[in-house]
Amino acid sequence: MRASMLAAVFLPAVLAHNIKIPAVEKLVDEQLSLFADYVDLNGTAGHALSAGQGSVFFESADVHAKRQSSSTPYWYESIKKQGISAFNTSPSTYKVFRNVKDYGARGDGVTDDTAAINKAISDGNRCAPGSCSSSSTTNAVVYFPAGTYVVSSSIVSYYSTNLIGNPNNLPVLKATPNFVGFGVIDAAQYQPGGVLPYGATNIFWRQVRNFVIDLTGVPATVEATGIHWPTAQATSLQNIVFKMSSNTGTKHQGVFIEAGSGGMLNDLVFYGGLNAAVFGNQQFTVRNLTFYNAVTAINQIWDWGWTYKSISVNNCTVGLNMATTDPNAEVVGSVVFFDSSFTNTKIAFKVSRTPNSSPKTGGSLAIENIVLRNVDTAIQYGPSQTTLLAGGTRTITSWVSGSLYNPTGPQIRDGVPVYTPVRPAGLLQADGKYYERSKPQYNNLPLTSFLSVRAAGAKGDGKTDDTAAIQAVLNQGALNNQVVYFDAGTYIVTSTIFISKQSRIVGEAYPVIMSRGAFFNDMNNPQPVVNVGNPGGFGTVEWSDMIISTQGPQAGATLIQWNLASPAGAPSGMWDVHTRVGGTVGSGLTLAECAKTPESTAINRNCISAYMGMHVTKTASTLYMENVWLWVADHDVDDKDLRQITIFSGRGLLIESTSGNLWLVGTSVEHFARYQYNFVRTQNIFAGQIQTETPYYMPNPNAFNQPFPAVTALDDPGYGGLCPAGSPATCAEALGLRVNASKNIFIYGAGLYSFFNNYSTTCSERGNANPCQTAMVQYDDTTSNFFIYALNTIGASGMVYRQTTKIASNSDNVNVFPSSIIVFRSDVVTS
Ligand SMILES: *[C@@H]1O[C@H](CO)[C@@H](O)[C@H](O)[C@H]1NC(C)=O
Ligand SMILES: *[C@@H]1O[C@H](CO)[C@@H](O)[C@H](O)[C@H]1NC(C)=O
Ligand SMILES: *[C@@H]1O[C@H](CO)[C@@H](O)[C@H](O)[C@H]1NC(C)=O
Ligand SMILES: *[C@@H]1O[C@H](CO)[C@@H](O)[C@H](O)[C@H]1NC(C)=O
Ligand SMILES: *[C@@H]1O[C@H](CO)[C@@H](O)[C@H](O)[C@H]1NC(C)=O
């Protein structure tokens, strides 16, 4: 997240309703008027209703709901609530946990619970849409016990709110026939003048999980939306069922996203709807979505690059519609879609790219391992409704359209199969798909299986040194096979916390482990804040919903170090575990201490914090990471103007795992100095979507040696080869992705962005001849079987370098805002 409101970053309201796509530069200005065509500016979908039009939906909706229904009490519902927000202005009175029933919601299927639910959300000086930009001190969990909650207008969610239902008996949010509002859950309510609150690319740290959202009471012909979800990093929707009308003329939609920089969506089931999902956002990772009986399952209204895995489309007219309605321009940048199926569906994919598309690589698509059962047309050219690829009952191994590098190029190809990666067995499930696993909720475990860190004596007040208390409770959890539960809070640690093999750890509302003090502040003697497993250790760790952070100068802090090897049948996992360096109250790294200083070349050493975001060491293996955001703050989250700050952090994610078998599902790494992702002497990695940003201060200084000199033992990339004599300072800016001496590296979607040069965005304007940096991806001669689908870069003249040779230029691959390559392959394969 970009705090600055660069127009193109939003590419916002390119909605699917015959709206002309303006020039990129004008988008923000035009945003408001575009939305006026679609959303009533008062933020309601404005339905005058006549009740009584019943709706029919696929009966397995109920089967599904029953399957999820169990009488096991959910441990989180009954555990003692002692979470706090340590840096809130009133931590003793501010409530993190709110049970909607404590605010008068009945959940009886009759009473209108709207006001009570909204009271539970808004209670106690929170960050409301329209009056607050963002906040790190007002996080909350709004919890829904089982029940049917009738709502007549939007549940208006606030910044940093987690809406969580009972996973053992999903609460139903049931819209009344005359429901008014843009979303049963409106997670970013439009403000007067038609503006989104917060700034969609700055909405972080929130989730919605375990609900049924039922629109079937709203007449089919009335527009109604399940969740309005413009959003950015460290956010997710998980385990939600959307029930919509499938009657002729239905206008229901399940999820509507029109802006932002996401994010993760997984385990969603949609029944009915006109456009069951409407998606427009820079980039996203989407996994395990099932659609029944929609007219169009997914309407992709704009993007730079989206990654779709394990999508099941059943009995729909269209699966994915990414065809532009603008005769002059593509609006969808690129899509990667794989390990998915279409059944009894007329058209699986609807596209509009041709060899003459504008921009040149716009509308790029790569599909792989797609099963068709009784499909009329696999790929249709939307504008003339002609068939590009026939349907039937069969498996499509691959089909791509866009710019290919093999490894030289570009070769613009529209509608060809390509040699697909030979998938290493260790990365796969029994059905041959890449392995996947959702965040565990431990919903079948009794309360006695959980150990609260606060009950065990940790304070989490942002002041007390909790190192010993946390270590003791982690040790006890591992010993007794109990899940360690971090109540919300900020836990200060002054030496390394060790997580041993077989640990299970879960947080409430993203509790923070924050390092402090001299132990972590020696760049010549770096120390992990959290160390997982010993080298040579073997076991499985599960860890979810937490943030690792630093306070003040911490030049030697490696926030997460992972040494543990895990068995092939039982990978370790990290879900929604993030790092956050600076930018929040209590970090000592805010606007007051670390305001940006582009006019100066001096380095403020009090703002050097973090040696590395995460280090997956040589001994580590078999680790699944999902929705993990390693962030060095670029702005002050608690400043109402979100003003920019300069924090120096050394390295992003270093993977040196010798035997590999790693899954990086929906990960991003931003604003580290020497690189974002660095894969060295490793193998067998599945990653998609990966997303990065170069620090905004670069090249003042650049990545060459200040303030983090290259460390050979850590395989830091040297920038010498990219900077022959006479090169501009931008030759040595942090690589988004660097791969050295590795094999079987498969990237399914990458958005690698460099928006700034010394805090100016001129360099990232599309078509700028002197972009912000020289190289974005670099791999070396000893790397093999390195494969990228949908590589999207911004602000780099060299999209890909092999050693010091540029092999792909931004100007050859212009897309909607990024430059895009649909298939890049390191090894020559002849077809
Ligand atoms: C919004 O509501 C106000 C007051 O009800 C009304 O005067 C105005 O016309 C509405 N605006 C739009 C765009 O519907
Ligand atoms: C996919 O989502 C469904 C619905 O939430 C869930 O039952 C299933 O377990 C999920 N599959 C995987 C592999 O997570
Ligand atoms: C298929 O979807 C249509 C609505 O689009 C619905 O009427 C029909 O019942 C569905 N068929 C099955 C087998 O569910
Ligand atoms: C960075 O930009 C500022 C203006 O914001 C300018 O004064 C300064 O000279 C620039 N520094 C470098 C190293 O380009
Ligand atoms: C790859 O790593 C080797 C050994 O560390 C190093 O000598 C070489 O310069 C690296 N290549 C690139 C292109 O970074």
Side-chain angles (χ1 to χ4, degrees):
M1 356 12 252
R2 309 229 8 247
S4 90
M5 299 296 129
L6 177 70
V9 175
F10 290 97
L11 266 179
V14 182
L15 299 172
H17 295 260
N18 296 315
I19 290 168
K20 183 161 170 3
I21 307 312
V24 167
E25 293 73 13
K26 292 192 184 130
L27 277 168
V28 158
D29 295 335
E30 304 211 21
Q31 171 179 5
L32 308 182
S33 59
L34 288 174
F35 270 114
D37 291 351
Y38 195 80
V39 184
D40 177 321
L41 287 186
N42 284 344
T44 71
H47 316 129
L49 300 187
S50 56
Q53 283 177 261
S55 300
V56 180
F57 54 88
F58 199 56
E59 69 171 18
S60 74
D62 292 324
V63 174
H64 179 89
K66 285 197 191 90
R67 187 163 47 78
Q68 299 215 2
S69 164
S70 106
S71 55
T72 312
Y74 179 36
W75 65 272
Y76 181 67
E77 184 167 319
S78 27
I79 200 165
K80 186 175 176 194
K81 299 303 180 314
Q82 342 179 54
I84 61 168
S85 175
F87 296 113
N88 185 274
T89 47
S90 180
S92 59
T93 57
Y94 178 82
K95 292 194 195 78
V96 171
F97 178 81
R98 298 112 192 277
N99 184 326
V100 293
K101 291 207 165 168
D102 295 339
Y103 289 81
R106 304 282 287 272
D108 59 7
V110 181
T111 312
D112 184 340
D113 284 327
T114 317
I117 294 168
N118 281 330
K119 181 75 179 126
I121 294 172
S122 62
D123 185 33
N125 220 357
R126 299 201 65 228
C127 185
S131 61
C132 170
S133 309
S134 77
S135 162
S136 69
T137 61
T138 57
N139 52 326
V141 174
V142 176
Y143 180 73
F144 293 69
T148 294
Y149 299 86
V150 172
V151 291
S152 55
S153 65
S154 292
I155 295 170
V156 179
S157 193
Y158 283 19
Y159 199 88
S160 211
T161 301
N162 303 297
L163 301 175
I164 299 178
N166 180 343
N168 291 332
N169 194 350
L170 302 187
V172 179
L173 306 178
K174 183 153 183 61
T176 55
N178 55 354
F179 179 86
V180 175
F182 190 36
V184 167
I185 295 174
D186 188 346
Q189 190 176 47
Y190 273 93
Q191 298 301 302
V195 283
L196 283 171
Y198 310 126
T201 59
N202 296 315
I203 301 179
F204 312 136
W205 310 301
R206 66 175 185 182
Q207 49 187 273
V208 179
R209 60 178 143 108
N210 313 325
F211 287 97
V212 173
I213 298 188
D214 187 352
L215 299 173
T216 56
V218 180
T221 52
V222 170
E223 287 179 18
T225 301
I227 301 185
H228 175 220
W229 189 246
T231 200
Q233 285 78 10
T235 64
S236 62
L237 301 181
Q238 179 187 354
N239 194 28
I240 304 171
V241 178
F242 297 87
K243 294 182 177 176
M244 298 169 276
S245 171
S246 54
N247 287 358
T248 306
T250 178
K251 288 188 177 167
H252 295 176
Q253 53 193 6
V255 178
F256 188 94
I257 304 176
E258 74 278 46
S261 179
M264 183 80 207
L265 307 171
N266 64 283
D267 304 354
L268 309 181
V269 184
F270 299 82
Y271 296 94
L274 171 60
N275 295 295
V278 180
F279 291 153
N281 186 296
Q282 293 172 15
Q283 73 290 313
F284 238 103
T285 304
V286 182
R287 183 176 72 63
N288 190 27
L289 268 50
T290 302
F291 298 87
Y292 299 100
N293 311 345
V295 179
T296 296
I298 302 168
N299 191 1
Q300 187 80 52
I301 53 176
W302 73 272
D303 78 4
W304 297 347
W306 276 51
T307 294
Y308 290 94
K309 176 181 193 297
S310 303
I311 308 298
S312 165
V313 175
N314 306 278
N315 188 36
C316 297
T317 307
V318 178
L320 174 79
N321 182 5
M322 58 183 280
T324 179
T325 50
D326 182 330
N328 301 312
E330 297 289 338
V331 293
V332 172
S334 63
V335 167
V336 184
F337 205 110
F338 56 105
D339 286 358
S340 295
S341 67
F342 296 81
T343 303
N344 298 331
T345 288
K346 289 201 170 60
I347 301 160
F349 297 91
K350 194 181 246 204
V351 304
S352 53
R353 86 117 316 96
T354 70
N356 302 320
S357 277
S358 173
K360 189 171 173 180
T361 66
S364 292
L365 173 65
I367 66 176
E368 184 186 291
N369 188 29
I370 302 290
V371 173
L372 306 181
R373 294 180 205 96
N374 188 26
V375 167
D376 292 356
T377 305
I379 303 183
Q380 184 191 76
Y381 177 66
S384 62
Q385 301 187 5
T386 47
T387 297
L388 297 177
L389 188 69
T393 295
R394 64 194 183 97
T395 298
I396 304 170
T397 306
S398 99
W399 188 95
V400 306
S401 186
S403 176
L404 280 61
Y405 283 70
N406 182 35
T408 56
Q411 310 155 41
I412 299 287
R413 291 287 172 81
D414 288 298
V416 292
V418 293
Y419 278 94
T420 53
V422 176
R423 302 180 175 190
L427 288 175
L428 307 181
Q429 346 179 113
D431 62 5
K433 295 180 181 175
Y434 287 109
Y435 176 80
E436 61 187 16
R437 185 168 165 218
S438 301
K439 177 163 72 182
Q441 303 197 58
Y442 305 113
N443 42 310
N444 294 319
L445 293 185
L447 187 57
T448 50
S449 293
F450 294 82
L451 279 179
S452 147
V453 299
R454 184 161 284 121
K459 292 277 183 274
D461 59 6
K463 296 191 276 260
T464 308
D465 182 350
D466 281 324
T467 316
I470 289 176
Q471 193 58 60
V473 68
L474 285 171
N475 293 350
Q476 194 190 341
L479 199 64
N480 299 346
N481 194 26
Q482 283 173 298
V483 180
V484 174
Y485 164 69
F486 276 72
D487 314 75
T490 297
Y491 298 85
I492 299 287
V493 301
T494 54
S495 61
T496 299
I497 294 295
F498 179 71
I499 296 178
S500 76
K501 58 183 180 182
Q502 312 301 16
S503 293
R504 289 176 294 174
I505 301 165
V506 60
E508 175 187 43
Y510 309 105
V512 180
I513 292 180
M514 181 177 264
S515 75
R516 179 175 82 193
F519 181 75
F520 296 111
N521 195 25
D522 183 355
M523 203 185 280
N524 298 311
N525 185 18
Q527 301 291 343
V529 177
V530 176
N531 200 19
V532 184
N534 285 313
F538 192 67
T540 303
V541 163
E542 295 174 359
W543 187 12
S544 53
D545 286 333
M546 280 186 82
I547 292 175
I548 310 302
S549 192
T550 57
Q551 189 179 69
Q554 296 284 265
T558 292
L559 277 71
I560 301 170
Q561 179 167 295
W562 200 285
N563 306 306
L564 187 67
S566 301
S572 285
M574 261 171 80
W575 296 264
D576 293 36
V577 174
H578 312 292
T579 72
R580 180 168 80 192
V581 184
T584 61
V585 172
S587 67
L589 301 162
T590 68
L591 189 68
E593 298 88 6
C594 302
K596 68 172 175 179
T597 55
E599 65 291 340
S600 161
T601 55
I603 288 169
N604 181 351
R605 304 202 76 86
N606 290 326
C607 299
I608 301 179
S609 199
Y611 184 78
M612 194 183 298
M614 180 167 174
H615 188 181
V616 179
T617 64
K618 295 184 175 69
T619 58
S621 73
T622 320
L623 168 62
Y624 183 90
M625 296 165 64
E626 183 164 284
N627 201 20
V628 171
W629 182 39
L630 308 182
W631 191 52
V632 179
D634 56 83
H635 65 273
D636 186 328
V637 170
D638 300 294
D639 174 53
K640 78 175 168 37
D641 299 318
L642 306 182
R643 276 172 286 180
Q644 292 170 324
I645 55 178
T646 296
I647 310 289
F648 299 100
S649 294
R651 300 155 186 87
L653 172 60
L654 171 61
I655 295 181
E656 297 185 289
S657 161
T658 308
S659 55
N661 288 338
L662 308 175
W663 300 264
L664 278 57
V665 180
T667 65
S668 33
V669 184
E670 298 189 313
H671 314 138
F672 291 88
R674 294 208 65 89
Y675 55 77
Q676 309 315 318
Y677 291 83
N678 189 13
F679 299 165
V680 182
R681 286 187 297 279
T682 186
Q683 61 178 325
N684 300 352
I685 295 180
F686 166 86
Q689 164 85 231
I690 65 169
Q691 183 254 315
T692 69
E693 282 186 9
T694 300
Y696 300 176
Y697 56 76
M698 288 198 173
N700 176 25
N702 66 14
F704 210 55
N705 53 28
Q706 283 300 323
F708 295 93
V711 174
T712 317
L714 272 184
D715 285 295
D716 277 341
Y719 284 89
L722 294 170
C723 295
S727 301
T730 49
C731 65
E733 294 206 11
L735 290 163
L737 170 61
R738 190 260 196 158
V739 183
N740 188 313
S742 297
K743 66 177 183 197
N744 299 337
I745 309 296
F746 306 126
I747 315 276
Y748 284 68
L752 312 180
Y753 314 139
S754 184
F755 291 112
F756 293 85
N757 183 314
N758 186 25
Y759 283 103
S760 160
T761 54
T762 312
C763 59
S764 57
E765 284 169 3
R766 196 167 63 151
N768 189 309
N770 297 302
C772 313
Q773 74 184 69
T774 297
M776 190 53 87
V777 177
Q778 187 191 40
Y779 69 105
D780 81 318
D781 278 340
T782 64
T783 286
S784 64
N785 218 5
F786 168 39
F787 194 106
I788 314 179
Y789 278 122
L791 168 65
N792 292 299
T793 70
I794 289 174
S797 50
M799 299 177 72
V800 183
Y801 271 72
R802 177 170 175 270
Q803 306 262 117
T804 56
T805 305
K806 176 157 86 171
I807 56 178
S809 290
N810 62 338
S811 54
D812 289 337
N813 298 291
V814 175
N815 201 304
V816 290
F817 182 62
S819 290
S820 186
I821 293 173
I822 196 65
V823 177
F824 172 80
R825 203 160 35 199
S826 63
D827 302 0
V828 179
V829 182
T830 48
S831 43

